[in-house]
PDB file of all heavy atoms in Angstrom:
ATOM      1  N   LYS A   1      41.968  95.601  96.847  1.00  0.00           N
ATOM      2  CA  LYS A   1      40.605  95.225  97.152  1.00  0.00           C
ATOM      3  C   LYS A   1      40.007  96.300  98.160  1.00  0.00           C
ATOM      4  O   LYS A   1      40.755  97.010  98.811  1.00  0.00           O
ATOM      5  CB  LYS A   1      40.500  93.852  97.774  1.00  0.00           C
ATOM      6  CG  LYS A   1      40.772  92.696  96.794  1.00  0.00           C
ATOM      7  CD  LYS A   1      40.495  91.381  97.412  1.00  0.00           C
ATOM      8  CE  LYS A   1      40.640  90.265  96.528  1.00  0.00           C
ATOM      9  NZ  LYS A   1      40.248  88.963  97.117  1.00  0.00           N
ATOM     10  N   ALA A   2      38.733  96.339  98.135  1.00  0.00           N
ATOM     11  CA  ALA A   2      38.058  97.278  99.080  1.00  0.00           C
ATOM     12  C   ALA A   2      38.088  96.678 100.481  1.00  0.00           C
ATOM     13  O   ALA A   2      38.155  95.480 100.680  1.00  0.00           O
ATOM     14  CB  ALA A   2      36.584  97.482  98.626  1.00  0.00           C
ATOM     15  N   ARG A   3      38.031  97.590 101.413  1.00  0.00           N
ATOM     16  CA  ARG A   3      37.941  97.226 102.832  1.00  0.00           C
ATOM     17  C   ARG A   3      36.641  96.457 103.086  1.00  0.00           C
ATOM     18  O   ARG A   3      35.593  96.849 102.613  1.00  0.00           O
ATOM     19  CB  ARG A   3      38.050  98.406 103.690  1.00  0.00           C
ATOM     20  CG  ARG A   3      38.130  98.115 105.198  1.00  0.00           C
ATOM     21  CD  ARG A   3      38.170  99.420 105.979  1.00  0.00           C
ATOM     22  NE  ARG A   3      37.017 100.231 105.840  1.00  0.00           N
ATOM     23  CZ  ARG A   3      36.948 101.498 106.081  1.00  0.00           C
ATOM     24  NH1 ARG A   3      38.050 102.148 106.398  1.00  0.00           N
ATOM     25  NH2 ARG A   3      35.798 102.185 105.913  1.00  0.00           N
ATOM     26  N   GLU A   4      36.701  95.384 103.871  1.00  0.00           N
ATOM     27  CA  GLU A   4      35.491  94.650 104.201  1.00  0.00           C
ATOM     28  C   GLU A   4      35.397  94.401 105.683  1.00  0.00           C
ATOM     29  O   GLU A   4      36.420  94.163 106.374  1.00  0.00           O
ATOM     30  CB  GLU A   4      35.488  93.342 103.438  1.00  0.00           C
ATOM     31  CG  GLU A   4      36.577  92.370 103.723  1.00  0.00           C
ATOM     32  CD  GLU A   4      36.467  91.061 103.003  1.00  0.00           C
ATOM     33  OE1 GLU A   4      35.357  90.758 102.467  1.00  0.00           O
ATOM     34  OE2 GLU A   4      37.479  90.296 102.940  1.00  0.00           O
ATOM     35  N   GLY A   5      34.193  94.308 106.181  1.00  0.00           N
ATOM     36  CA  GLY A   5      33.933  93.976 107.557  1.00  0.00           C
ATOM     37  C   GLY A   5      34.207  92.511 107.805  1.00  0.00           C
ATOM     38  O   GLY A   5      33.919  91.597 107.041  1.00  0.00           O
ATOM     39  N   VAL A   6      34.760  92.208 108.956  1.00  0.00           N
ATOM     40  CA  VAL A   6      35.024  90.827 109.437  1.00  0.00           C
ATOM     41  C   VAL A   6      34.175  90.418 110.537  1.00  0.00           C
ATOM     42  O   VAL A   6      33.508  89.369 110.484  1.00  0.00           O
ATOM     43  CB  VAL A   6      36.585  90.706 109.781  1.00  0.00           C
ATOM     44  CG1 VAL A   6      36.834  89.256 110.303  1.00  0.00           C
ATOM     45  CG2 VAL A   6      37.450  91.013 108.620  1.00  0.00           C
ATOM     46  N   ALA A   7      34.182  91.232 111.618  1.00  0.00           N
ATOM     47  CA  ALA A   7      33.387  90.934 112.785  1.00  0.00           C
ATOM     48  C   ALA A   7      33.183  92.194 113.596  1.00  0.00           C
ATOM     49  O   ALA A   7      33.905  93.140 113.452  1.00  0.00           O
ATOM     50  CB  ALA A   7      34.059  89.863 113.606  1.00  0.00           C
ATOM     51  N   SER A   8      32.226  92.165 114.543  1.00  0.00           N
ATOM     52  CA  SER A   8      32.061  93.285 115.438  1.00  0.00           C
ATOM     53  C   SER A   8      31.504  92.741 116.775  1.00  0.00           C
ATOM     54  O   SER A   8      30.979  91.623 116.814  1.00  0.00           O
ATOM     55  CB  SER A   8      31.114  94.327 114.846  1.00  0.00           C
ATOM     56  OG  SER A   8      29.736  93.751 114.710  1.00  0.00           O
ATOM     57  N   ILE A   9      31.637  93.555 117.816  1.00  0.00           N
ATOM     58  CA  ILE A   9      31.259  93.141 119.144  1.00  0.00           C
ATOM     59  C   ILE A   9      30.805  94.376 119.893  1.00  0.00           C
ATOM     60  O   ILE A   9      31.374  95.436 119.855  1.00  0.00           O
ATOM     61  CB  ILE A   9      32.352  92.371 119.918  1.00  0.00           C
ATOM     62  CG1 ILE A   9      31.851  91.824 121.229  1.00  0.00           C
ATOM     63  CG2 ILE A   9      33.645  93.280 120.094  1.00  0.00           C
ATOM     64  CD1 ILE A   9      32.824  90.821 121.905  1.00  0.00           C
ATOM     65  N   SER A  10      29.682  94.260 120.656  1.00  0.00           N
ATOM     66  CA  SER A  10      29.157  95.366 121.387  1.00  0.00           C
ATOM     67  C   SER A  10      29.971  95.658 122.587  1.00  0.00           C
ATOM     68  O   SER A  10      30.839  94.892 122.953  1.00  0.00           O
ATOM     69  CB  SER A  10      27.664  95.128 121.720  1.00  0.00           C
ATOM     70  OG  SER A  10      27.584  93.927 122.508  1.00  0.00           O
ATOM     71  N   SER A  11      29.704  96.736 123.210  1.00  0.00           N
ATOM     72  CA  SER A  11      30.505  97.233 124.380  1.00  0.00           C
ATOM     73  C   SER A  11      30.576  96.205 125.494  1.00  0.00           C
ATOM     74  O   SER A  11      31.642  96.039 126.120  1.00  0.00           O
ATOM     75  CB  SER A  11      30.010  98.529 124.853  1.00  0.00           C
ATOM     76  OG  SER A  11      28.621  98.463 125.292  1.00  0.00           O
ATOM     77  N   ALA A  12      29.492  95.464 125.790  1.00  0.00           N
ATOM     78  CA  ALA A  12      29.442  94.458 126.803  1.00  0.00           C
ATOM     79  C   ALA A  12      29.656  93.104 126.329  1.00  0.00           C
ATOM     80  O   ALA A  12      29.761  92.096 127.068  1.00  0.00           O
ATOM     81  CB  ALA A  12      28.097  94.532 127.534  1.00  0.00           C
ATOM     82  N   GLY A  13      29.867  92.965 124.907  1.00  0.00           N
ATOM     83  CA  GLY A  13      30.141  91.633 124.396  1.00  0.00           C
ATOM     84  C   GLY A  13      28.970  90.804 124.069  1.00  0.00           C
ATOM     85  O   GLY A  13      29.047  89.677 123.629  1.00  0.00           O
ATOM     86  N   GLY A  14      27.675  91.345 124.334  1.00  0.00           N
ATOM     87  CA  GLY A  14      26.471  90.576 124.047  1.00  0.00           C
ATOM     88  C   GLY A  14      26.087  90.414 122.601  1.00  0.00           C
ATOM     89  O   GLY A  14      25.378  89.441 122.256  1.00  0.00           O
ATOM     90  N   ASP A  15      26.484  91.327 121.805  1.00  0.00           N
ATOM     91  CA  ASP A  15      26.073  91.334 120.353  1.00  0.00           C
ATOM     92  C   ASP A  15      27.287  91.109 119.546  1.00  0.00           C
ATOM     93  O   ASP A  15      28.228  91.898 119.653  1.00  0.00           O
ATOM     94  CB  ASP A  15      25.345  92.584 119.981  1.00  0.00           C
ATOM     95  CG  ASP A  15      23.982  92.749 120.636  1.00  0.00           C
ATOM     96  OD1 ASP A  15      23.281  91.707 120.771  1.00  0.00           O
ATOM     97  OD2 ASP A  15      23.653  93.883 121.038  1.00  0.00           O
ATOM     98  N   LYS A  16      27.316  90.108 118.701  1.00  0.00           N
ATOM     99  CA  LYS A  16      28.410  89.780 117.842  1.00  0.00           C
ATOM    100  C   LYS A  16      27.907  89.609 116.388  1.00  0.00           C
ATOM    101  O   LYS A  16      26.786  89.089 116.172  1.00  0.00           O
ATOM    102  CB  LYS A  16      29.148  88.565 118.257  1.00  0.00           C
ATOM    103  CG  LYS A  16      29.734  88.650 119.661  1.00  0.00           C
ATOM    104  CD  LYS A  16      30.404  87.297 120.067  1.00  0.00           C
ATOM    105  CE  LYS A  16      30.896  87.390 121.512  1.00  0.00           C
ATOM    106  NZ  LYS A  16      31.584  86.090 121.884  1.00  0.00           N
ATOM    107  N   ASP A  17      28.729  90.057 115.485  1.00  0.00           N
ATOM    108  CA  ASP A  17      28.350  89.976 114.079  1.00  0.00           C
ATOM    109  C   ASP A  17      29.551  89.511 113.294  1.00  0.00           C
ATOM    110  O   ASP A  17      30.635  89.903 113.562  1.00  0.00           O
ATOM    111  CB  ASP A  17      27.935  91.433 113.538  1.00  0.00           C
ATOM    112  CG  ASP A  17      27.306  91.392 112.184  1.00  0.00           C
ATOM    113  OD1 ASP A  17      26.779  90.326 111.771  1.00  0.00           O
ATOM    114  OD2 ASP A  17      27.320  92.486 111.547  1.00  0.00           O
ATOM    115  N   TYR A  18      29.307  88.598 112.324  1.00  0.00           N
ATOM    116  CA  TYR A  18      30.431  88.045 111.566  1.00  0.00           C
ATOM    117  C   TYR A  18      30.098  88.092 110.057  1.00  0.00           C
ATOM    118  O   TYR A  18      28.937  87.936 109.669  1.00  0.00           O
ATOM    119  CB  TYR A  18      30.661  86.514 111.947  1.00  0.00           C
ATOM    120  CG  TYR A  18      31.123  86.373 113.338  1.00  0.00           C
ATOM    121  CD1 TYR A  18      30.287  86.040 114.353  1.00  0.00           C
ATOM    122  CD2 TYR A  18      32.481  86.430 113.653  1.00  0.00           C
ATOM    123  CE1 TYR A  18      30.667  85.806 115.646  1.00  0.00           C
ATOM    124  CE2 TYR A  18      32.903  86.186 114.913  1.00  0.00           C
ATOM    125  CZ  TYR A  18      32.063  85.880 115.947  1.00  0.00           C
ATOM    126  OH  TYR A  18      32.444  85.574 117.200  1.00  0.00           O
ATOM    127  N   ALA A  19      31.140  88.303 109.254  1.00  0.00           N
ATOM    128  CA  ALA A  19      30.986  88.110 107.888  1.00  0.00           C
ATOM    129  C   ALA A  19      30.781  86.649 107.533  1.00  0.00           C
ATOM    130  O   ALA A  19      31.320  85.796 108.218  1.00  0.00           O
ATOM    131  CB  ALA A  19      32.261  88.654 107.132  1.00  0.00           C
ATOM    132  N   ASP A  20      29.959  86.344 106.520  1.00  0.00           N
ATOM    133  CA  ASP A  20      29.745  85.000 106.074  1.00  0.00           C
ATOM    134  C   ASP A  20      31.022  84.240 105.855  1.00  0.00           C
ATOM    135  O   ASP A  20      31.096  83.058 106.122  1.00  0.00           O
ATOM    136  CB  ASP A  20      28.816  84.965 104.915  1.00  0.00           C
ATOM    137  CG  ASP A  20      27.370  85.360 105.208  1.00  0.00           C
ATOM    138  OD1 ASP A  20      27.004  85.340 106.409  1.00  0.00           O
ATOM    139  OD2 ASP A  20      26.624  85.686 104.270  1.00  0.00           O
ATOM    140  N   SER A  21      31.971  84.884 105.311  1.00  0.00           N
ATOM    141  CA  SER A  21      33.201  84.230 104.850  1.00  0.00           C
ATOM    142  C   SER A  21      34.064  83.731 106.063  1.00  0.00           C
ATOM    143  O   SER A  21      34.948  82.885 105.892  1.00  0.00           O
ATOM    144  CB  SER A  21      34.047  85.185 104.060  1.00  0.00           C
ATOM    145  OG  SER A  21      34.367  86.348 104.760  1.00  0.00           O
ATOM    146  N   VAL A  22      33.785  84.246 107.302  1.00  0.00           N
ATOM    147  CA  VAL A  22      34.532  83.861 108.483  1.00  0.00           C
ATOM    148  C   VAL A  22      33.746  83.085 109.504  1.00  0.00           C
ATOM    149  O   VAL A  22      34.276  82.656 110.485  1.00  0.00           O
ATOM    150  CB  VAL A  22      35.297  84.997 109.126  1.00  0.00           C
ATOM    151  CG1 VAL A  22      36.112  85.828 108.055  1.00  0.00           C
ATOM    152  CG2 VAL A  22      34.289  85.959 109.734  1.00  0.00           C
ATOM    153  N   LYS A  23      32.432  82.963 109.323  1.00  0.00           N
ATOM    154  CA  LYS A  23      31.630  82.326 110.292  1.00  0.00           C
ATOM    155  C   LYS A  23      32.070  80.851 110.517  1.00  0.00           C
ATOM    156  O   LYS A  23      32.344  80.148 109.546  1.00  0.00           O
ATOM    157  CB  LYS A  23      30.157  82.322 109.896  1.00  0.00           C
ATOM    158  CG  LYS A  23      29.453  83.680 109.970  1.00  0.00           C
ATOM    159  CD  LYS A  23      28.000  83.628 109.633  1.00  0.00           C
ATOM    160  CE  LYS A  23      27.325  84.940 109.810  1.00  0.00           C
ATOM    161  NZ  LYS A  23      25.943  84.907 109.315  1.00  0.00           N
ATOM    162  N   GLY A  24      32.216  80.528 111.736  1.00  0.00           N
ATOM    163  CA  GLY A  24      32.622  79.165 112.085  1.00  0.00           C
ATOM    164  C   GLY A  24      34.125  79.073 112.225  1.00  0.00           C
ATOM    165  O   GLY A  24      34.626  78.002 112.738  1.00  0.00           O
ATOM    166  N   ARG A  25      34.840  80.019 111.796  1.00  0.00           N
ATOM    167  CA  ARG A  25      36.292  80.035 111.831  1.00  0.00           C
ATOM    168  C   ARG A  25      36.890  81.060 112.755  1.00  0.00           C
ATOM    169  O   ARG A  25      37.846  80.837 113.409  1.00  0.00           O
ATOM    170  CB  ARG A  25      36.904  80.174 110.428  1.00  0.00           C
ATOM    171  CG  ARG A  25      36.542  79.083 109.437  1.00  0.00           C
ATOM    172  CD  ARG A  25      37.317  79.206 108.152  1.00  0.00           C
ATOM    173  NE  ARG A  25      37.053  80.499 107.452  1.00  0.00           N
ATOM    174  CZ  ARG A  25      37.973  81.374 107.147  1.00  0.00           C
ATOM    175  NH1 ARG A  25      39.284  81.152 107.481  1.00  0.00           N
ATOM    176  NH2 ARG A  25      37.729  82.491 106.502  1.00  0.00           N
ATOM    177  N   PHE A  26      36.228  82.269 112.669  1.00  0.00           N
ATOM    178  CA  PHE A  26      36.723  83.365 113.508  1.00  0.00           C
ATOM    179  C   PHE A  26      35.799  83.572 114.701  1.00  0.00           C
ATOM    180  O   PHE A  26      34.565  83.414 114.605  1.00  0.00           O
ATOM    181  CB  PHE A  26      36.708  84.696 112.713  1.00  0.00           C
ATOM    182  CG  PHE A  26      37.790  84.728 111.635  1.00  0.00           C
ATOM    183  CD1 PHE A  26      38.522  83.595 111.269  1.00  0.00           C
ATOM    184  CD2 PHE A  26      38.060  85.892 111.006  1.00  0.00           C
ATOM    185  CE1 PHE A  26      39.498  83.623 110.256  1.00  0.00           C
ATOM    186  CE2 PHE A  26      39.039  86.013 110.045  1.00  0.00           C
ATOM    187  CZ  PHE A  26      39.784  84.843 109.647  1.00  0.00           C
ATOM    188  N   THR A  27      36.355  83.988 115.847  1.00  0.00           N
ATOM    189  CA  THR A  27      35.576  84.323 117.067  1.00  0.00           C
ATOM    190  C   THR A  27      36.096  85.643 117.557  1.00  0.00           C
ATOM    191  O   THR A  27      37.213  85.859 117.823  1.00  0.00           O
ATOM    192  CB  THR A  27      35.784  83.210 118.086  1.00  0.00           C
ATOM    193  OG1 THR A  27      35.351  82.000 117.524  1.00  0.00           O
ATOM    194  CG2 THR A  27      34.856  83.570 119.320  1.00  0.00           C
ATOM    195  N   ILE A  28      35.087  86.556 117.758  1.00  0.00           N
ATOM    196  CA  ILE A  28      35.408  87.823 118.359  1.00  0.00           C
ATOM    197  C   ILE A  28      35.003  87.794 119.855  1.00  0.00           C
ATOM    198  O   ILE A  28      33.950  87.241 120.217  1.00  0.00           O
ATOM    199  CB  ILE A  28      34.734  88.998 117.672  1.00  0.00           C
ATOM    200  CG1 ILE A  28      35.277  90.361 118.095  1.00  0.00           C
ATOM    201  CG2 ILE A  28      33.203  88.945 117.776  1.00  0.00           C
ATOM    202  CD1 ILE A  28      34.856  91.524 117.212  1.00  0.00           C
TER     203      ILE A  28
END
């Protein structure tokens, strides 16, 4: 399978991004 994004976090932790498939289950 192709590589896919899971989550990201900004340098100070203020901005977080999650893939729909992991929202509610994963926390960065």
Side-chain angles (χ1 to χ4, degrees):
K1 292 187 175 182
R3 185 181 64 203
E4 62 177 345
V6 177
S8 65
I9 187 168
S10 59
S11 59
D15 294 319
K16 300 177 181 179
D17 191 23
Y18 296 96
D20 288 341
S21 61
V22 306
K23 286 181 179 178
R25 299 189 298 121
F26 291 11
T27 302
I28 190 169

